[in-house]
Amino acid sequence: MTHRCAVIGSPIAHSLSPILHRAAYEQLGLRDWSYESFDVTPQALPEFLASCTTQWVGLSVTAPLKSALLEHGLAEQRAKDLNAANTLVFGHPNRLYNTDVTGMRVALASHGVEKAGTAIVLGAGATARSALAALEALGVSTITVAARSVQRAHDSLDPIAAILGVDVEVVDWTSLDSLGEHPADILISTVPTVFEPSRAVQLAALTPVVFDIVYHDYPTNLSRAAQAAGALDVDGVDLLVYQAIDQVVLMTGRRPQAEPLLELCRQAVAARG
């Protein structure tokens, strides 16, 4: 019997997850496993899950479904705290997990970053909440967040900041220029934004470590600016691969090697031009 898995979200056409997970299955010798992609909105999520037969093993879940997914299974505590799950393992009940946090931590650790005190986070959605948890695990206690809506940012981030015991200051997106007054150890961009080159240079100058979670446009202007500034550049391919490895473990019980998957994904991004 084929073991079915997939990535769901909307939009989903850009996702490298099918290439990545299929390569992991091949590496592990899992011949009867398949991995697809489906465009699913929050409104369509209940119907999609109801259509999944006993062949289905698990789902990778991306925007805008990470919060909505919590209504469809038993969530681990971290996913509950973050109000964001990116992994579903089918069962009775379904099990929900957040692998973004460990994905960020391992991505940073793979570049030698295992400790920090202050950080800047761009964005305030589900991935930003995961970033707060990953940063707290590194010892970060003070985080400046730039968001398009200060109130929505507080609504999204204050509950997890209180659980984590970190101090979060939110500034309006139009106040990015003021971030120069708050130099930090790490900058994490969680927004699907292509920064203008001049803005990217400004942001890259703020910290010695720049982590841009966008991968479909790598190298982004922010990554290029970080490299030009001599900052450590951690990119979205790192996060994509390391969070997916945890998903593969949850779904198959086996762990693939990271390096071949990182190389494959970088080649796939480059081929898209």
Side-chain angles (χ1 to χ4, degrees):
M1 182 181 75
T2 299
H3 298 76
R4 296 186 68 183
C5 299
V7 59
I8 61 173
S10 185
I12 204 65
H14 70 281
S15 177
L16 286 181
S17 291
I19 293 173
L20 171 55
H21 283 256
R22 290 168 190 164
Y25 299 159
E26 183 176 357
Q27 183 190 131
L28 296 169
L30 300 174
R31 307 301 181 199
D32 58 345
W33 286 69
S34 69
Y35 193 99
E36 305 160 84
S37 65
F38 295 92
D39 194 295
V40 178
T41 64
Q43 295 76 20
L45 180 59
E47 182 179 358
F48 176 83
L49 293 176
S51 73
C52 294
T53 66
T54 56
Q55 288 183 311
W56 282 89
V57 178
L59 298 171
S60 306
V61 180
T62 188
L65 302 176
K66 291 183 179 180
S67 295
L69 188 67
L70 294 173
E71 300 178 10
H72 299 282
L74 182 63
E76 64 169 351
Q77 190 61 47
R78 178 165 59 194
K80 288 181 184 178
D81 290 344
L82 295 173
N83 191 31
N86 73 332
T87 308
L88 180 149
V89 177
F90 286 98
H92 302 286
N94 298 332
R95 300 282 177 166
L96 311 178
Y97 303 90
N98 182 304
T99 68
D100 283 332
V101 176
T102 53
M104 289 181 188
R105 288 176 57 191
V106 176
L108 287 163
S110 72
H111 289 269
V113 181
E114 298 183 340
K115 196 165 185 63
T118 58
I120 295 169
V121 173
L122 307 181
T127 306
R129 294 195 294 274
S130 295
L132 261 60
L135 289 166
E136 186 275 336
L138 296 180
V140 173
S141 59
T142 303
I143 302 171
T144 301
V145 174
R148 290 183 174 86
S149 168
V150 171
Q151 186 56 55
R152 284 200 296 271
H154 280 297
D155 292 343
S156 173
L157 302 180
D158 285 356
I160 185 61
I163 292 171
L164 296 172
V166 297
D167 180 25
V168 172
E169 176 189 1
V170 179
V171 300
D172 187 86
W173 193 257
T174 59
S175 302
L176 281 175
D177 290 338
S178 70
L179 292 181
E181 303 167 7
H182 305 275
D185 297 325
I186 299 176
L187 181 146
I188 300 181
S189 175
T190 70
V191 294
T193 297
V194 178
F195 293 102
E196 293 296 326
S198 59
R199 176 68 79 188
V201 169
Q202 177 194 28
L203 292 170
L206 296 174
T207 67
V209 179
V210 176
F211 191 169
D212 188 351
I213 63 116
V214 173
Y215 70 81
H216 57 271
D217 193 36
Y218 182 81
T220 63
N221 287 339
L222 185 54
S223 288
R224 289 191 182 98
Q227 294 167 12
L232 183 62
D233 172 37
V234 185
D235 62 69
V237 174
D238 292 310
L239 172 58
L240 173 71
V241 169
Y242 287 114
Q243 62 83 28
I245 285 175
D246 279 355
Q247 291 180 332
V248 172
V249 172
L250 288 167
M251 295 176 194
T252 73
R254 300 178 62 184
R255 182 176 297 275
Q257 295 180 356
E259 287 305 321
L261 301 178
L262 287 164
E263 181 178 356
L264 173 69
C265 288
R266 294 194 195 287
Q267 290 174 351
V269 172
R272 291 181 175 184

